[in-house]
Amino acid sequence: MRDAYHEELDSLTDKLVEMTRLVRSAISRATTALLDADLALAESVISRDEEVNATFADIEASIFELMARQQPVAVDLRMVITALRMGTDLERMGDLAVHVAKVARLRHPDSAIPAETRSTIVEMGQIAENLVTKAGSCVASRDVESALELEQDDDAMDRLHRRLFRNILAKDWPHGVEPAIDITLIGRYYERYADHAVRVAADVVYLVTGSRP
């Protein structure tokens, strides 16, 4: 019975790692859709978010069943609590990728990204992918040292976010209000995506050590 119980706990980790893979794919495809004004790709990001939501719902159901049947304590209780928190953050990351894709869909057949900001968005997309990949690795391995590094890794995203604001607030910004609003929203989506990845890593630290970084 206890072996089956710990297999269920391990299954939570597997599902969380799968969620990191799903939201990594979502932000990657959303970035491409945004840069290339690819409507079909944007639609695929939006429709496939149901897969992220379904995985999170499965995690929630497993946690509630474990709590009811096994009444976990100590480290096991910490595991189910952090699994729920991680799943919530990852589900939100999927939503943020959808928001990016919806901007791409809204501006199709034009690109929502002016030439001046294109390289910054490319970098933000790359950093977002790297952060969630690293977060997934930390969840799988429970590597505290790597998890603690994510907050520093997130600094690069914050710098790019500030760069976007400098672009749109420059006196020679030639694109008007609507693109400026798009860029403001897009930058916020990437910045929040990165913040949620950092929170997932912080939960790994809490799971292993019992304290928050």
Side-chain angles (χ1 to χ4, degrees):
M1 179 67 72
R2 299 301 294 176
D3 286 345
Y5 167 53
H6 285 100
E7 284 177 8
E8 289 179 79
L9 290 175
D10 291 341
S11 177
L12 287 177
T13 299
D14 294 340
K15 291 170 185 175
L16 288 166
V17 172
E18 176 60 19
M19 281 191 79
T20 67
R21 295 192 186 106
L22 291 172
V23 300
R24 180 187 184 277
S25 173
I27 199 66
S28 175
R29 289 178 294 117
T31 302
T32 300
L34 190 66
L35 294 167
D36 296 348
D38 188 328
L39 180 59
L41 195 57
E43 294 286 9
S44 78
V45 175
I46 295 164
S47 64
R48 287 186 61 185
D49 188 50
E50 284 302 315
E51 192 173 353
V52 177
N53 296 339
T55 305
F56 180 49
D58 193 18
I59 289 171
E60 280 189 309
S62 297
I63 287 170
F64 295 151
E65 186 175 349
L66 280 168
M67 293 286 283
R69 287 192 296 103
Q70 303 291 349
Q71 299 180 345
V73 296
V75 175
D76 292 347
L77 179 59
R78 209 154 65 223
M79 173 63 203
V80 296
I81 290 170
T82 54
L84 186 59
R85 288 172 56 93
M86 290 177 192
T88 301
D89 281 311
L90 289 164
E91 190 272 338
R92 182 59 183 149
M93 290 165 75
D95 289 343
L96 289 162
V98 167
H99 292 336
V100 173
K102 285 183 175 179
V103 175
R105 182 175 69 178
L106 179 65
R107 300 305 173 204
H108 183 269
D110 298 321
S111 172
I113 306 302
E116 296 93 326
T117 59
R118 187 176 179 85
S119 63
T120 303
I121 297 299
V122 170
E123 287 185 66
M124 293 180 95
Q126 290 170 344
I127 291 170
E129 289 185 55
N130 290 339
L131 284 169
V132 72
T133 299
K134 193 168 185 177
S137 177
C138 292
V139 172
S141 65
R142 300 190 183 180
D143 185 337
V144 170
E145 186 175 342
S146 293
L148 289 170
E149 291 172 358
L150 253 78
E151 190 160 354
Q152 284 185 313
D153 297 340
D154 180 48
D155 290 344
M157 183 70 86
D158 293 335
R159 285 194 295 272
L160 293 171
H161 192 211
R162 290 192 293 270
R163 185 196 296 175
L164 281 181
F165 276 107
R166 287 196 298 271
N167 287 150
I168 63 178
L169 293 174
K171 291 181 180 179
D172 59 350
W173 173 257
H175 303 289
V177 173
E178 192 172 83
I181 292 172
D182 287 343
I183 291 297
T184 300
L185 290 172
I186 290 164
R188 180 62 172 164
Y189 299 150
Y190 281 105
E191 189 263 342
R192 290 301 298 151
Y193 185 100
D195 285 348
H196 283 290
V198 171
R199 287 175 56 173
V200 170
D203 279 330
V204 172
V205 177
Y206 173 68
L207 173 61
V208 175
T209 68
S211 61
R212 295 202 170 275

